[in-house]
Every structure is written in C-alpha cells, then in structure tokens.
Amino acid sequence: METLYVPRQITGYEYQFLACRRDLLAGRTEPQEMPLDETLYVMQLMDRLRRQWGVHYPMD
C-alpha cells in the first residue's frame, strides 16, 4: 500500500479524505460514521431551519 501524506489539520477536510479513503479501500460505499440516510436527514433539517430563519444563499 502506498504511503499518503496528509497534513495535520488545516481545514478539517483532511479527516473526511482519510475516512473516505479508508472506506473505499475496505470496499465500503458509504462511511460508517455518517451513512447516507443520516447525511440526508441533517441536510433536510438544515434546509428547514434556513427557511424558518429566512436565510437565503445566492444559489438557492
């Protein structure tokens, strides 16, 4: 297996990258920490909260 250098923490995405790599190498298609259905639930919840709070982004 090749060695991959990932800097300590810069943005927090380093952890996502390592988790994704780990799962792909293990043959998994979604992370154990946050399965797709949980991710979708959180995103839908955030959308509802943004609507209630009146928060809008240019891409909405």
Side-chain angles (χ1 to χ4, degrees):
M1 180 182 292
E2 81 179 80
T3 301
L4 187 61
Y5 170 74
V6 178
R8 287 185 89 53
Q9 184 175 358
I10 296 175
T11 63
Y13 291 110
E14 296 84 5
Y15 300 107
Q16 283 184 310
F17 170 79
L18 289 174
C20 179
R21 181 176 185 270
R22 180 199 63 225
D23 291 331
L24 288 173
L25 289 173
R28 292 187 289 268
T29 58
E30 65 181 21
Q32 295 173 330
E33 297 88 356
M34 190 77 155
L36 179 59
D37 59 338
E38 290 181 32
T39 300
L40 292 174
Y41 171 76
V42 169
M43 298 308 295
Q44 292 165 351
L45 177 62
M46 293 304 297
D47 285 343
R48 285 196 308 269
L49 289 171
R50 285 180 40 225
R51 278 193 298 276
Q52 289 176 10
W53 297 336
V55 175
H56 301 280
Y57 295 105
M59 63 281 206
D60 285 342

